[in-house]
Amino acid sequence: MSASYFADQTFKGLKKMDAGDYESCRFVNCILPNSDLTGIHFIECEFENCDFSSSRLYDVFFNEVAFQNCKLVGLRFEDCNEFLFSIHFHGCNLSLSSFYQINPKDISFLDCNLKEVDFTETNLSDCNFANCDLHQAIFRNTNLKKADFKSSYNFSIDPVINNINKAKFSLNGLPGLLEKYNLDIE
């Protein structure tokens, strides 16, 4: 069990996070880049306008957690505790982050910057990528079954090495599926 338990609280402007379990808490304008969040549990929490860039996520527990307008650059989500991993991002910058080999219970991205994010061997079935910039994001042996890319852009996904069965794409997104063939699509 973690050191402390916090429930139904709002934390504003934190510059240091105490170890513990946080349930139904709200975090606003917390500036915590390069933090060590090892072993902290977040259950049904919301983060707004927070910065956790380059923070350590070893054994962090995220269950039904939402991030809105947060800076989450360079995070290694594969270091998190995968049990009941459920996380949603809206308007976040996740550039250079990694979701390598995770199998989330539920995950979605809305209006996010996902430049150079590593999704190698990740299970993103049913994931919604709504209006996301996926420039140089890595999809290799990734399960994208029923994922929704209709409004996303700048992606390059090789259908041969990824499972894209029943995934949704717009006509404008087709070049991102055919890039490896070096075609001129007009």
Side-chain angles (χ1 to χ4, degrees):
M1 184 81 177
S2 298
S4 301
Y5 177 75
F6 306 93
D8 302 307
Q9 295 183 38
T10 298
F11 299 91
K12 293 184 179 180
L14 281 181
K15 299 211 185 291
K16 183 181 183 306
M17 174 98 37
D18 292 328
D21 294 338
Y22 295 84
E23 187 170 352
S24 300
C25 291
R26 189 168 167 241
F27 300 86
V28 181
N29 298 322
C30 297
I31 310 301
L32 297 154
N34 302 305
S35 295
D36 185 354
L37 305 176
T38 298
I40 296 177
H41 293 173
F42 298 103
I43 302 162
E44 296 178 6
C45 291
E46 296 178 8
F47 295 86
E48 298 172 28
N49 302 309
C50 295
D51 182 357
F52 286 98
S53 295
S54 300
S55 290
R56 186 165 188 235
L57 299 179
Y58 182 73
D59 203 31
V60 173
F61 183 83
F62 288 118
N63 179 247
E64 295 298 325
V65 173
F67 287 93
Q68 184 164 342
N69 300 319
C70 292
K71 187 175 179 185
L72 307 164
V73 175
L75 297 183
R76 297 180 54 95
F77 288 94
E78 66 266 20
D79 292 340
C80 293
N81 185 326
E82 274 198 61
F83 183 69
L84 298 175
F85 185 87
S86 174
I87 196 165
H88 303 279
F89 303 98
H90 182 193
C92 294
N93 182 355
L94 290 130
S95 295
L96 303 170
S97 291
S98 176
F99 292 86
Y100 177 70
Q101 290 187 331
I102 68 164
N103 186 24
K105 176 182 166 238
D106 189 23
I107 190 167
S108 65
F109 304 93
L110 173 63
D111 297 318
C112 291
N113 179 345
L114 300 171
K115 293 178 182 173
E116 299 182 59
V117 172
D118 187 356
F119 292 111
T120 300
E121 298 180 23
T122 302
N123 181 2
L124 296 170
S125 59
D126 296 305
C127 182
N128 187 11
F129 291 92
N131 197 38
C132 293
D133 186 350
L134 291 153
H135 181 71
Q136 294 186 339
I138 301 166
F139 295 95
R140 191 172 296 120
N141 297 321
T142 305
N143 182 357
L144 299 168
K145 186 177 180 179
K146 297 183 182 177
D148 189 342
F149 290 93
K150 288 185 300 207
S151 59
S152 288
Y153 50 96
N154 292 332
F155 58 82
S156 178
I157 300 171
D158 184 344
V160 175
I161 62 170
N162 294 287
N163 179 358
I164 62 167
N165 188 32
K166 300 287 186 182
K168 299 171 187 83
F169 297 93
S170 70
L171 284 176
N172 293 334
L174 289 182
L177 294 171
L178 302 171
E179 184 175 33
K180 82 175 199 168
Y181 300 109
N182 198 24
L183 301 173
D184 289 328
I185 301 171
E186 297 179 18

